[in-house]
Amino acid sequence: MPAAPASSSTGRYSVFAIAREALRLHSGWKRAWASPEPRRKYQVVIVGAGGHGLATAYYLGRNFGITDVAVIEKGWLGGGNTGRNTTIIRSNYLQDPSAAIYDKALKLYENLSQDLNYNIMFSPRGLLMLAQTEHEVRGYKRTAHANHLQGVATEWISPRRIKDMLPIINIDGPRYPVLGGLYQERAGTARHDAVAWGYARACSAMGMHIIQNCEVTGIETQGGKVAAVNTGKGRIECDKLALIAAGHSSVLADMAGFRLPIESLALQALVSEPIKPCCNLVIMANTVHGYLSQSDKGEMVIGGGTDGFNNYTQRGSWHHVEETVRALIETFPMLSRLKMLRQWGGIVDMTGDRSPILSATPVGNIFVNCGWGTGGFKAIPGSGWAMAELVAQGRPGPLAADFGLDRFAQGRFIDESVAAGVAH
C-alpha cells in the first residue's frame, strides 16, 4: 500500500516532506489510508471501493460535509475494473447528458492531482477516433457538431493530418482505409491505480472508513427502506446505501429485492513488451474493434470489444487476443513485430442504450451507480460528483437527472451506440 508523510500536521505530500524524510532515512512515512474494523452503524455505506465508490465518498465529504461513511469492498481497494482498464479519458460523446457528465469528469481530472495532493499522472495527450467507413465519417462529423453545441472542444481532421500526427499508422489499408478522424486534444490517460489511491487517501483523511475483504452477503430492509447490510465482517446498519459495484451490481440488487436492466460481460485487454516512444496519442479504431495507446513504460496498451456472452471472468483468452490484434495490424503494421507481455479481463456492466444508471431504486434510501459499460474509468470524478449529490439530497442533480432507472420504462433512452464505438 502506498504511504503518506507523517512529518507535517497536514500530512501533505511536498518536496519539503520528501527532503525531510530523506534526512530521516524515510522512517516517518505512514500508511496512506487506515484499515479500521467496521462500526455498528454509519450514515452512508457505499458498496464498492473502486474509483466510482471512492469518488462518491470523497465528494460526499467535500461537497456536503458527510463523513460518517464506510466504503466496503469484497476484495482489495481498486482491484476490480478500476485496476483493469486501459486508462482512456475523453468526453466526446454525442448525447447532451453523456457529454455533460463526461466533460465534468474530464475537467475534474485536469486538476485532480492538486485537489487530492496525489499525482494521478494525468496525461492530456489527445485522443483520435478513426473513421474507416463512410458510416463512421457521417457519425463522427455529427458528433463533432454536437460537441460544438455542447461546448466540448473536438474537431474533424483529415487523413493527411492523422498521418502527420501518427507516423506509425497506415492510412491506405485495402479493407479499412483511414477516411478521417474525430480528435479531442484535451483527452488522454491517467494512472488508474493512482486515481483509486488518491481518493482513498483523501477519504481516510476525512475520517471515513475503508474496509477491504468485506463481502456483502445480504441487505436488510424495514418498512420499505434499507436497514443494514450483512457482511463477512458482521452486520452494519446504515441510513443510506449506495451500490457501486460495476458488474456485480445486479447481484447486490437481487439481495435488496429489485432487478437492474444490465448484463455483465468480460472485457479483455493486453500490453506488449516495452518499446521506444512511437505513439503519443490515444487511438480508437472502432470499425475493427480495437484501440491502443503507449504507456509511460513503453508498453503498447491494446483493447477491443466485449466477450459475446455473459460471464464474470477476470482473465484473458487467446481467441480474443487474436481477434483484436489481427484487426489492428492492418492499420498499425508495426504491432505484428511485438510480443505480448500480459493480458487480463474485467467485468463490465452493460445497459441496452450503452449509458449508465445513477438513480434511486424501488427500495427507499438505496441508490445505484452502474451500467458504465467500458466507459467507467473516464467518468470516475464526474460520476462521483453526481452520485454524491444524489445520495446526499435524495434526488438527482443536473448531471444525474437523465440517467434514472425510469428511463427504461418510459422509453427515453440515451443512445450512445455510435459515440461509444465499441461501448467505450
Side-chain angles (χ1 to χ4, degrees):
M1 181 184 297
S7 53
S8 67
S9 59
T10 60
R12 289 185 61 81
Y13 287 120
S14 70
V15 65
F16 303 107
I18 293 173
R20 186 162 47 245
E21 287 304 319
L23 294 174
R24 301 189 335 180
L25 300 180
H26 299 285
S27 61
W29 300 105
K30 288 187 177 180
R31 290 186 176 273
W33 56 86
S35 297
E37 290 299 312
R39 294 200 302 265
R40 182 184 65 84
K41 183 178 180 180
Y42 296 88
Q43 183 177 354
V44 178
V45 169
I46 296 172
V47 181
H52 290 257
L54 292 165
T56 299
Y58 174 72
Y59 293 115
L60 275 172
R62 174 186 153 175
N63 295 350
F64 298 98
I66 299 173
T67 58
D68 184 16
V69 176
V71 185
I72 60 178
E73 169 59 44
K74 175 182 179 180
W76 65 94
L77 187 150
N81 289 353
T82 299
R84 296 171 179 271
N85 61 80
T86 52
T87 76
I88 296 173
I89 298 170
R90 66 183 179 93
S91 63
N92 55 342
Y93 279 74
L94 175 64
Q95 306 295 343
D96 291 349
S98 304
I101 196 166
Y102 282 108
D103 208 50
K104 176 67 173 181
L106 178 52
K107 289 174 180 175
L108 289 170
Y109 264 127
E110 289 170 336
N111 297 297
L112 196 57
S113 293
Q114 292 77 13
D115 188 21
L116 299 179
N117 183 228
Y118 201 97
N119 185 10
I120 67 161
M121 305 181 194
F122 177 63
S123 172
R125 63 186 65 184
L127 176 138
L128 178 62
M129 301 176 73
L130 300 178
Q132 295 180 280
T133 66
E134 292 296 338
H135 175 74
E136 280 190 316
V137 171
R138 292 192 297 270
Y140 288 153
K141 285 185 176 180
R142 179 190 177 196
T143 301
H145 294 317
N147 291 160
H148 177 73
L149 295 173
Q150 296 154 352
V152 177
T154 62
E155 60 178 315
W156 172 260
I157 62 175
S158 67
R160 179 48 53 193
R161 185 176 170 193
I162 292 173
K163 182 66 175 179
D164 291 341
M165 295 169 66
L166 193 66
I168 64 171
I169 196 170
N170 173 24
I171 63 173
D172 300 315
R175 289 184 302 168
Y176 300 111
V178 176
L179 306 177
L182 181 64
Y183 178 56
Q184 185 175 25
E185 187 176 15
R186 292 170 52 226
T189 63
R191 173 66 188 269
H192 44 24
D193 295 322
V195 172
W197 296 340
Y199 275 123
R201 179 172 175 264
C203 289
S204 185
M206 287 189 278
M208 299 179 185
H209 283 188
I210 299 169
I211 305 166
Q212 302 176 78
N213 299 310
C214 184
E215 182 178 1
V216 174
T217 57
I219 297 174
E220 297 181 18
T221 61
Q222 186 174 0
K225 294 183 178 181
V226 66
V229 290
N230 295 308
T231 76
K233 293 191 175 184
R235 182 175 182 270
I236 304 174
E237 297 178 13
C238 59
D239 296 327
K240 296 182 178 181
L241 177 64
L243 307 179
I244 312 177
H248 286 93
S249 296
S250 56
V251 177
L252 294 169
D254 186 61
M255 293 180 186
F258 63 92
R259 295 182 65 189
L260 290 173
I262 63 171
E263 296 179 312
S264 297
L265 305 97
L267 180 74
Q268 300 180 36
L270 66 128
V271 297
S272 75
E273 59 186 322
I275 57 176
K276 293 181 178 180
C278 65
C279 180
N280 61 351
L281 297 169
V282 179
I283 309 297
M284 297 178 63
N286 296 329
T287 294
V288 297
H289 275 209
Y291 53 100
L292 77 157
S293 62
Q294 189 167 18
S295 74
D296 295 337
K297 294 181 289 184
E299 304 161 344
M300 300 302 292
V301 183
I302 298 171
T306 56
D307 282 2
F309 51 93
N310 295 351
N311 65 90
Y312 287 94
T313 301
Q314 289 184 296
R315 60 179 181 270
S317 61
W318 289 111
H319 77 276
H320 218 82
V321 171
E322 180 183 4
E323 174 187 332
T324 302
V325 174
R326 183 181 66 235
L328 285 172
I329 282 175
E330 178 182 309
T331 306
F332 302 95
M334 53 84 68
L335 294 178
S336 65
R337 301 194 294 274
L338 302 182
K339 297 178 180 178
M340 186 181 74
L341 184 63
R342 63 184 183 276
Q343 65 175 139
W344 66 91
I347 307 167
V348 299
D349 43 335
M350 309 289 285
T351 61
D353 60 1
R354 297 302 187 260
S355 292
I357 299 168
L358 293 94
S359 180
T361 69
V363 181
N365 288 343
I366 294 183
F367 306 90
V368 66
N369 180 344
C370 66
W372 291 95
T374 60
F377 178 73
K378 67 177 69 71
I380 284 174
S383 164
W385 186 286
M387 191 64 179
E389 191 171 33
L390 172 63
V391 172
Q393 300 180 348
R395 60 184 184 279
L399 288 177
D402 291 303
F403 295 105
L405 272 170
D406 57 355
R407 77 177 190 270
F408 297 100
Q410 297 171 0
R412 50 177 183 83
F413 304 126
I414 307 171
D415 184 8
E416 289 291 359
S417 56
V418 174
V422 284
H424 296 96

